[in-house]
Every structure is written in structure tokens, then in C-alpha cells.
Amino acid sequence: MLALRLTRRARIAVQCRRLLVAVASAGTGFLLLCALGHAMGHPDAPGASALRLAWCAAPLAATVYFAVAVARTDPGTRPRSGLSAIGLGPGRLMAVSATTTALSGALGSLVALLVFLHLRGDLAGLPFDGAAADSLAAGTALPIPAVVTLLTLIPATASAAVAVALRPREARTASAGAVRGFGRFGAYGWGAARETFGAYGRYGARRPRAQAPASASADVPAPELAGALATTGGVAGPGGVDAGAPLETAPPSVGGAAEAGSPHAAASGTRPASPAPADTTTLPWGIALLAAGLAIETYAGGSTTPDSLPTAGVLVGWTLTALGLALAGPGLTHLCGRLLQAVRPGALRLLAGRVLMEEAGRIGRPLGVVCAVASAAYAAVALYDTDEPPLGPLGVLGFLLVAGCTVATLLTAAVEARQTRADTTAALLRLGAPASVLRAAAALRAGALLAVFGPLTLLVAALAALPLTR
């Protein structure tokens, strides 16, 4: 009941995103039902039917990925102060998000079933003069358990993925990941650093050190950065922010939201969104998977099935290529931020680079997936530009579903990043930063990402299409 009330009272933009999830679920469910109809109409070709069902995994994965992105940007299911007292903690709100996603997927599956039955002629005669009767096994009784299984696959998978992505996470202490060390001779414990000989007896070694105020490093750089933004955007001087400093010493409010204990965050009543850490360690694994996928595509060659579908080897190669680009996306986005801050950066490049570095984990993976889809589309166009028969209507529908879901996921991730930086943008505007500089920083970030991911997409597309056209 609570999920239905939150769904009914949501904003127009949120309702549109949920409607897009329902549309994607309807398209994927229709493709699954068409694979079932092909298996029923062609019992002598189980291999081709299994391959059609395997190709439905790409639209299914794109739909689930888009549903998770939509659930993350839903403002109605974010934890707020005071909701835990009435039983609406993070776990309960996670269950509400999963239920809302399941409702959207169930609505799409119902629409897919109605369209499928209409095209089969089970509702009001065969439409289009029975053109789709062969692919949909018209005149044959549908197995109810198989239909229910295929239609419940989308909402169940999407809701499970949302529950895993939005599950409550406990805050890890700094000592949780510390490496075990040993102290002086005979000591046993978790020493922070290895002590040298005689360190215990040195003068002042056991004296407690004075701790610097925690807000000193967080409050000083922000006015200096705002003052630099208010000027002509010259190079940051010795008193400004150092571009070569590590990410921990950067102004914490440049790429993220307000602090958890700040008065602004407490007054707003929203969850203080922490910036997603840029997992740059996945870049080598992404490159390895990308190379493995291209090698498998080269080995599979340009052979196709009698239904003009690529073979299972090409499907596995494209899957590994997409996973490789998705894993390499955050590292490449982080690299874009580093390159923007290279060679004496000004305030404009410094702001754009730090935001890219902070948002690398959030927008890097959708960018990598979009690059994978674009390269696969180029390879498909190069394959079917030859004497091979063109893609049928179901192939076009599948491609439109995958491309639309990936682009919509990227746009949704951009909306989530903008919501996360809302407090930071408002703080910079209050400190005197012109709005034109913020817009120029956004354009600079988009140009840097296009300059890095554009040639990469063309290179991967050319390498993927080369073995398919020989």
C-alpha cells in the first residue's frame, strides 16, 4: 500500500521514468514470448530457438540496468530524518523501491502479453493478414507455465537487482581494512606502523599528538575556489587548490553533497549523498575482458545462422566486450578528470576535473555500456551491409530496446549526479561563483568525455566489425 501511495504521489519526471521502465519491460517480454512462439512453431529447429532466447538476454540486461538507475534517482524512497522512528528505515525504503520496480515490470509484462495475444489472433482475429502467424505459432495452444515464467522473469529480476543495489550498508571504520602489523619485539596486535629499534625510548615518542581541527582543511579551500571562479579563471596560485594533490585533500564539496553533520544537510531533511568512489582498479580487468571479447569475435568469424542471426560465439564476444568497456569506464572517466587538471590548471579546469574524478564511479559504467552498444551497432551495420539478409522486425525491436535503455540509463545517471551536486552548486553560487562558469565547466566535462570515449568507440567498433565482414 505504501508503494502504491508513493507511486501515485510522485512527480511527473519520476512517473515518466517509471513509465519508460514499463515500456522497456513490455518490449523485452514481447521478445521473450516471440522466442517461445518460434520454439512452438519450429519444433524441428531447437538450436535456432535457443539462440533466439539467448539473444533476449541483451534486452533483459539493459532493462534491468535501466530499472536500477531509475530506482536510484527516485526521491520518494530516499531515507530522511525522522522516518526511522515510524518504521521507515533504509531497509523498509529499499523494499518499497523493489516493490515499485516490480509493479512497473509487471505492468509492462501485461502489456506484452496483450500485444502478443492480439498478434496471434487469440483476441479478435489475425491482424495484418496473418503476416506474423508463422513467428508467433498462431493456432497453437500456449503453455501457461512457460508464459508465466517468461513474463515474471523481468519484474523478478529487476526488483532483485534494485534490492541488491539499494540494500543498507553499514559504515566501515577506518581500521576495518587496516593491514595487520607488528610492533616492537614481543608485541602482538594491530600496529599502525612498524616501529624501529629504540622508538619507544625516544623523547616525546609516547606524548599524545595535538590533533588539527577537522574543519580546517574543509573550510579554507572553498572560499578560495569560489573567489577564483568569480574572477577571470586564472591559474590557481600558491594559496589556492593544488591540482596535483591527492583526491582526499581536495575540496570535499566540489564533487559531492553537503557533509553529513552540516546544518544545511540537517535542515534539508534529505539523505546526505556521499560521492561514489571511483574504482579505478577495474581498468586493467576491463581492458583484459575487452581484448578477450575481440579475440572471441575474431575466432567466431562472420558465420551466421539460417535465420540471419550471429552465432553464439559472436554473442559471447559482444558480451565480454560490453563487460570490458563497462569495467573500464570509471577508470577512463577518472583519467579524463586527471587530464583536465594537468599543466597548471585554472579554476574552470580544476572544477571540471575534480567533478569528473568524483563522479567517475557513477557515470563511468553507463558511458562504457553506451560505447559497447554503439560499437555493436556499427558492427551489425557492417555485417548486414553485405549480401546477408537484413534484420527482421524483432531484431530491430531488440536493438532499439538495448540502445534506448542504455542511453536512458546514461541520462538518468547524469540526473543523479546533478541531484548529488545540488547542495554544492548552491554553495558555490552563494559564494559568488557566476552561473556561466558552472555551465562552462559542464560543457568542458562533456567535451573531455567525448574526446576520450568517441575515438575509443570507433576503434572498438572497427575491430569488432573486421572479423564479421571478411
Side-chain angles (χ1 to χ4, degrees), residues 165-199:
L166 302 183
R167 68 188 185 276
R169 296 179 176 86
E170 296 181 358
R172 297 181 58 185
T173 59
S175 60
V179 182
R180 180 180 176 181
F182 297 91
R184 61 191 183 279
F185 178 76
Y188 180 83
W190 296 84
R194 186 184 297 274
E195 296 181 1
T196 57
F197 178 78

Side-chain angles (χ1 to χ4, degrees), residues 308-378:
S308 71
L309 290 175
T311 58
V314 177
L315 175 61
V316 172
W318 281 356
T319 303
L320 291 180
T321 301
L323 288 177
L325 288 174
L327 289 178
L332 293 176
T333 307
H334 194 273
L335 179 62
C336 290
R338 286 286 186 184
L339 293 178
L340 280 178
Q341 301 175 82
V343 192
R344 295 178 60 84
L348 182 63
R349 289 198 292 133
L350 184 65
L351 179 62
R354 285 300 171 93
V355 170
L356 273 184
M357 290 169 61
E358 291 292 333
E359 300 296 337
R362 183 173 287 109
I363 65 175
R365 288 186 178 88
L367 270 175
V369 174
V370 168
C371 291
V373 172
S375 61
Y378 180 84

Side-chain angles (χ1 to χ4, degrees), residues 68-453:
V68 172
V70 170
R72 291 176 63 92
T73 57
D74 192 354
T77 56
R78 291 183 178 180
R80 296 178 178 87
S81 58
L83 289 182
S84 298
I86 60 175
L88 292 178
R92 180 72 179 277
L93 291 178
M94 178 269 296
V96 170
S97 298
T99 306
T100 305
T101 304
L103 289 176
S104 300
L107 177 61
S109 298
L110 180 61
V111 173
L113 178 61
L114 292 177
V115 173
F116 182 74
L117 294 178
H118 175 67
L119 293 179
R120 276 174 47 92
D122 295 337
L123 298 180
L126 285 174
F128 307 112
D129 298 331
D134 186 32
S135 300
L136 305 181
T140 306
L142 287 175
I144 303 300
V147 173
V148 173
T149 301
L150 292 178
L151 290 181
T152 56
L153 180 62
I154 303 171
T157 307
S159 60
V162 169
V164 171
L166 302 183
R167 68 188 185 276
R169 296 179 176 86
E170 296 181 358
R172 297 181 58 185
T173 59
S175 60
V179 182
R180 180 180 176 181
F182 297 91
R184 61 191 183 279
F185 178 76
Y188 180 83
W190 296 84
R194 186 184 297 274
E195 296 181 1
T196 57
F197 178 78
Y200 184 84
R202 291 198 186 104
Y203 176 76
R206 313 302 296 178
R207 181 180 300 175
R209 299 179 180 178
Q211 297 182 356
S215 61
S217 60
D219 297 335
V220 175
E224 296 179 358
L225 180 60
L229 289 173
T231 57
T232 56
V235 179
V241 182
D242 185 13
L247 188 59
E248 290 80 3
T249 61
S253 60
V254 171
E259 295 291 338
S262 62
H264 181 73
S268 60
T270 58
R271 176 181 58 187
S274 59
D279 193 2
T280 57
T281 59
T282 58
L283 182 59
W285 295 100
I287 295 175
L289 284 178
L290 179 61
L294 293 176
I296 291 177
E297 290 182 27
T298 304
Y299 179 79
S303 58
T304 58
T305 61
D307 294 333
S308 71
L309 290 175
T311 58
V314 177
L315 175 61
V316 172
W318 281 356
T319 303
L320 291 180
T321 301
L323 288 177
L325 288 174
L327 289 178
L332 293 176
T333 307
H334 194 273
L335 179 62
C336 290
R338 286 286 186 184
L339 293 178
L340 280 178
Q341 301 175 82
V343 192
R344 295 178 60 84
L348 182 63
R349 289 198 292 133
L350 184 65
L351 179 62
R354 285 300 171 93
V355 170
L356 273 184
M357 290 169 61
E358 291 292 333
E359 300 296 337
R362 183 173 287 109
I363 65 175
R365 288 186 178 88
L367 270 175
V369 174
V370 168
C371 291
V373 172
S375 61
Y378 180 84
V381 169
L383 173 64
Y384 293 105
D385 195 22
T386 59
D387 296 334
E388 296 290 338
L391 284 174
L394 296 180
V396 173
L397 176 60
F399 170 74
L400 290 179
L401 275 175
V402 173
C405 288
T406 51
V407 173
T409 303
L410 178 59
L411 296 178
T412 307
V415 171
E416 181 186 2
R418 184 178 180 180
Q419 292 175 356
T420 305
R421 297 194 309 268
D423 295 337
T424 301
T425 305
L428 289 176
L429 291 176
R430 286 195 305 269
L431 290 173
S436 59
V437 175
L438 300 180
R439 289 192 294 267
L444 186 60
R445 293 195 300 268
L449 292 176
L450 184 61
V452 171
F453 283 91

